[in-house]
Amino acid sequence: MMNKPFQLLLSLYLFSSSTLANEEFSSKFTSFINEHNLPGAVVLIKKGDETLHYRAYGKVNVEQNRPMQHDSIFRIYSMSKPITAVALLQLVEQGKVSLNDDIRKYLPNFEPFTFEGEQQIVTVHQLLAHTAGFGYGGGFKSWVSIRYLLANPLSRSNTLADLVDDLSGIDLRFQPGNQFRYSIASDIQGAIIESVANMPLDHYLKTHIFMPLNMKDTGFYVPKNKQSRLVDMYEYDISKFEQAYQYGHGDIDLSEAGDDSEYLERPVLMSGGGGLVSTASDYSNFLAMLQQKGKFNGHRVLSQQLVETMLSSKTTGLDTHFLPKVYQDAGFGYGLGIKEKPGKAQGKGSFFWAGKGGTLFWADPVNDLQVVVMMQIENGWIALEKWLKPEVYKIIEAHK
């Protein structure tokens, strides 16, 4: 048994090591922002129930002297997907939706799905795992891409019913279940939620996700009394994907001011795939619920079984498209990425994702770690995460 003086010295040593690691991280992050002339960010790091680091860095606008705040509001884009997946899984838990059902059971306006002239069934499971065969943006590489371009299902003036109508009749990109392709599937999930719950998606999420998780600043738009907190949006102007791994290959240009944003008004399209705004602390609450197997502050949001299902890879052995370029040894669960093998620091079973606007998160069950970083640079999250990960795990090592 340790004597009390030794225990005190050990506690002081651990405290000072953790404090020094935090301050070193702060200094490095500030230098990282200044070196590349980046807008500011909010960084939130937790180990278990303990908050190790929660700071706002830099400025909302690189040309103006307005500091970033802890409660700044960000466009989280694809970090909306895990939230929508949880909402749909709640309906599965209630027995109102089955993972094995054809999605046309819930969205009968869809024409029968086809691939290479043959009819296909798309299940709710495949929709959640993005193995259903849908595409995303349009282009000119194939007739299916042209159809997406012409249909423009993600028009902000569309309802979710309009989105289904626009997609109806477009061929699938592959036979369902055979590949992973990041897609419009999460927006279709939103349409199922509206249909089954018989309420608008924003009302459902507020009632069943945001209020129970105390996500008071999360929604599809920023109300008037909070609009001063929406940050400015930048874009990292690069010509090749490979250039995204580190800053310095292109200019960072202002693309949308917070006080002149489309997110200041309630949209017609409630995009479950990319339409939400949020804060670091709000999203931390959502991750805490997943880390606690569906519970938050004693309230159960989703069953442990379905959380575990959500956080297990559904793409092992499949062609996973762009995932290996960005995330090594990663698969995809329901609405987020899953680490299938341990990395240098990140543990097996870690779950993660990012938004194209520069926000990112990961949760590592091996290290009981949660990280949320909110920055607003389109195409900028890849370089940010590459720099960030080793620095975060230095804090964790110092805290042990």
Side-chain angles (χ1 to χ4, degrees), residues 34-108:
N34 293 339
E35 177 185 352
H36 300 291
N37 196 33
L38 305 177
V42 180
V43 181
L44 178 54
I45 304 170
K46 291 184 177 180
K47 185 172 177 60
D49 294 330
E50 183 181 357
T51 299
L52 299 185
H53 192 90
Y54 183 27
R55 295 189 186 179
Y57 291 88
K59 298 180 291 187
V60 171
N61 186 298
V62 297
E63 304 296 335
Q64 300 172 10
N65 192 25
R66 185 156 64 98
M68 190 70 73
Q69 304 292 335
H70 287 82
D71 65 350
S72 290
I73 296 174
F74 298 79
R75 309 154 189 80
I76 64 170
Y77 292 104
S78 284
M79 280 170 51
S80 306
K81 288 178 171 67
I83 294 173
T84 302
V86 167
L88 183 53
L89 288 170
Q90 287 179 328
L91 298 177
V92 172
E93 182 177 356
Q94 295 166 26
K96 296 177 180 178
V97 174
S98 171
L99 291 173
N100 296 319
D101 277 345
D102 184 340
I103 66 171
R104 294 182 66 237
K105 176 179 178 179
Y106 310 106
L107 300 172

Side-chain angles (χ1 to χ4, degrees), residues 41-200:
V42 180
V43 181
L44 178 54
I45 304 170
K46 291 184 177 180
K47 185 172 177 60
D49 294 330
E50 183 181 357
T51 299
L52 299 185
H53 192 90
Y54 183 27
R55 295 189 186 179
Y57 291 88
K59 298 180 291 187
V60 171
N61 186 298
V62 297
E63 304 296 335
Q64 300 172 10
N65 192 25
R66 185 156 64 98
M68 190 70 73
Q69 304 292 335
H70 287 82
D71 65 350
S72 290
I73 296 174
F74 298 79
R75 309 154 189 80
I76 64 170
Y77 292 104
S78 284
M79 280 170 51
S80 306
K81 288 178 171 67
I83 294 173
T84 302
V86 167
L88 183 53
L89 288 170
Q90 287 179 328
L91 298 177
V92 172
E93 182 177 356
Q94 295 166 26
K96 296 177 180 178
V97 174
S98 171
L99 291 173
N100 296 319
D101 277 345
D102 184 340
I103 66 171
R104 294 182 66 237
K105 176 179 178 179
Y106 310 106
L107 300 172
N109 286 346
F110 262 129
E111 293 181 19
F113 303 110
T114 59
F115 173 67
E116 295 184 346
E118 295 188 5
Q119 286 196 14
Q120 307 289 329
I121 290 176
V122 173
T123 68
V124 174
H125 159 76
Q126 291 163 347
L127 197 68
L128 283 160
H130 287 245
T131 59
F134 293 106
Y136 225 143
F140 298 98
K141 292 184 178 180
S142 68
W143 174 236
V144 174
S145 295
I146 293 171
R147 288 289 306 277
Y148 272 89
L149 185 66
L150 294 173
N152 192 22
L154 288 173
S155 167
R156 201 166 167 85
S157 62
N158 265 355
T159 64
L160 286 173
D162 293 333
L163 177 141
V164 169
D165 288 341
D166 286 346
L167 288 171
S168 190
I170 300 179
D171 287 352
L172 299 175
R173 291 185 177 271
F174 54 87
Q175 189 173 19
N178 282 4
Q179 299 179 37
F180 164 83
R181 286 295 184 275
Y182 204 49
S183 72
I184 203 168
S186 293
D187 294 282
I188 301 171
Q189 293 168 37
I192 293 177
I193 294 165
E194 282 200 349
S195 175
V196 173
N198 195 29
M199 68 173 70

Side-chain angles (χ1 to χ4, degrees), residues 177-342:
N178 282 4
Q179 299 179 37
F180 164 83
R181 286 295 184 275
Y182 204 49
S183 72
I184 203 168
S186 293
D187 294 282
I188 301 171
Q189 293 168 37
I192 293 177
I193 294 165
E194 282 200 349
S195 175
V196 173
N198 195 29
M199 68 173 70
L201 181 61
D202 58 340
H203 292 180
Y204 183 91
L205 294 182
K206 181 177 180 179
T207 303
H208 298 280
I209 306 285
F210 303 150
M211 291 177 66
L213 295 179
N214 193 28
M215 298 173 70
K216 56 186 181 299
D217 294 319
T218 305
F220 287 102
Y221 73 105
V222 184
K224 287 187 177 181
N225 64 330
K226 301 177 181 181
Q227 290 182 355
S228 64
R229 293 161 53 195
L230 180 65
V231 304
D232 293 349
M233 181 77 196
Y234 283 80
E235 182 177 10
Y236 187 31
D237 186 14
I238 52 175
S239 59
K240 296 179 181 179
F241 180 83
E242 289 74 19
Q243 294 175 336
Y245 286 103
Q246 64 183 65
Y247 292 113
H249 289 289
D251 296 326
I252 295 170
D253 303 315
L254 181 68
S255 59
E256 183 187 71
D259 60 7
D260 191 32
S261 171
E262 62 184 4
Y263 285 88
L264 299 183
E265 294 190 8
R266 186 177 185 268
V268 175
L269 180 67
M270 302 297 164
S271 172
L276 292 173
V277 297
S278 190
T279 63
S281 61
D282 273 15
Y283 210 88
S284 173
N285 289 351
F286 175 74
L287 295 182
M289 179 273 296
L290 293 178
Q291 289 177 295
Q292 294 161 19
K293 305 297 184 183
K295 280 189 173 182
F296 182 78
N297 286 344
H299 176 81
R300 181 158 291 283
V301 175
L302 187 63
S303 71
Q304 178 173 337
Q305 178 185 357
L306 284 174
V307 170
E308 290 173 349
T309 299
M310 177 179 176
L311 301 183
S312 62
S313 177
K314 308 297 184 294
T315 59
T316 304
L318 298 182
D319 173 2
T320 51
H321 199 213
F322 71 89
L323 277 181
K325 291 183 179 180
V326 185
Y327 300 110
Q328 285 190 334
D329 299 319
F332 201 78
Y334 285 164
L336 37 63
I338 306 293
K339 191 76 172 173
E340 294 182 334
K341 298 178 182 178

